[in-house]
Amino acid sequence: YAPDALDKANLDLFVDNIKPDRTAEDLLFQVMLDWGVDLALPIAKETIQGKEVFFVDGDALAACFDAHSGIDEAFVKELAKRQPLRVVFRDAGFKDDATKINVEQIFKLLSPATEVKCI
């Protein structure tokens, strides 16, 4: 889009990159398909610091799709201590930009083999 072609009334359409009717399970299965993770693997749901986290096949994949800006560094460190092979977060879930930037560094320190992704 060209800046002068945008209508201010439509800016709300660009706030979130995920359709509002998508559930956390929808996002999880899409991520599993994107990464080539078998959909038949066992999935467990846990609550860590008040946030819902999905663990696929133990620690093959950890996913937190919190959309309420609640993901902070303490939560990320606790998740990194489990050393999952892959981890995915929802972009809108981070407390602030600094936390989002620091996520990869936290995982490099605590779990260097983990592949980190934000959607």
Side-chain angles (χ1 to χ4, degrees), residues 5 9 18 21 36 43 45 50 60 64-65 72 75 85 87-88 105 114:
I18 298 172
D21 63 338
I43 299 171
K45 187 174 12 175
C64 180
F65 300 115
D72 57 12
F75 172 76
L85 294 175
V87 66
V88 63
Q105 295 305 316
T114 301

Side-chain angles (χ1 to χ4, degrees), residues 74-118:
F75 172 76
V76 173
K77 286 177 183 176
E78 188 168 336
L79 197 55
K81 287 178 186 174
R82 292 179 172 234
Q83 298 185 336
L85 294 175
R86 299 176 192 103
V87 66
V88 63
F89 299 99
R90 185 173 181 160
D91 191 50
F94 292 103
K95 177 181 165 188
D96 52 31
D97 290 337
T99 302
K100 183 179 174 186
I101 292 168
N102 290 334
V103 165
E104 288 193 35
Q105 295 305 316
I106 292 169
F107 273 93
K108 280 183 184 177
L109 288 172
L110 299 176
S111 181
T114 301
E115 186 178 348
V116 180
K117 183 177 183 178
C118 291

Side-chain angles (χ1 to χ4, degrees), residues 29-43:
F29 287 115
Q30 183 60 49
V31 167
M32 290 173 69
L33 288 170
D34 290 346
W35 256 327
V37 177
D38 187 0
L39 297 177
L41 292 172
I43 299 171

